[in-house]
Amino acid sequence: MKRKIDWLIINLVLLAGITLVITINLNSRLVEQENKIKDMQWTVQEHELSIQRLAEQNTAQEVILNKLNREYQAQERKKAEAVKEAAEMNNVGG
């Protein structure tokens, strides 16, 4: 009977030890996963800022492009008017 109790105690101690090892292992994995999540969140924030800066740059480029396009169209209208006036002065065209 004493031997059965001793074996029971030994088995319980081993079970507690194994449980402790498993718990420590799971806890360290959890901490590692939390660190990876924080790193990924930081990366996502950096990418969001980068995207925002690119969007602002794109908007600025669109403004410049629209301004240049308006200037080009105005110059082309002036050229067309000058050609039309020259044609009218020379009685050319319809």
Side-chain angles (χ1 to χ4, degrees):
M1 182 77 165
K2 172 84 169 139
R3 292 189 94 190
K4 287 185 179 181
I5 293 176
D6 289 343
W7 276 110
L8 180 63
I9 292 172
I10 291 171
N11 284 333
L12 289 175
V13 169
L14 285 173
L15 182 62
I18 291 170
T19 304
L20 180 65
V21 168
I22 291 172
T23 303
I24 291 171
N25 184 21
L26 289 175
N27 189 42
S28 67
R29 287 184 182 186
L30 180 63
V31 169
E32 182 180 332
Q33 290 297 318
E34 287 173 351
N35 289 336
K36 285 182 180 179
I37 288 171
K38 287 178 185 177
D39 289 344
M40 287 180 175
Q41 287 173 337
W42 179 255
T43 302
V44 167
Q45 287 177 346
E46 286 179 336
H47 288 183
E48 286 174 348
L49 289 174
S50 177
I51 289 169
Q52 183 179 359
R53 282 191 297 269
L54 290 171
E56 291 170 359
Q57 181 181 5
N58 188 32
T59 302
Q61 288 175 346
E62 284 182 18
V63 168
I64 293 169
L65 186 60
N66 288 337
K67 180 180 178 182
L68 292 173
N69 192 26
R70 283 192 303 271
E71 289 177 8
Y72 175 77
Q73 288 175 356
Q75 289 174 357
E76 288 297 309
R77 272 195 298 277
K78 286 181 184 178
K79 286 180 186 177
E81 288 173 8
V83 168
K84 183 180 178 183
E85 288 176 12
E88 287 174 356
M89 289 176 68
N90 294 322
N91 293 327
V92 178

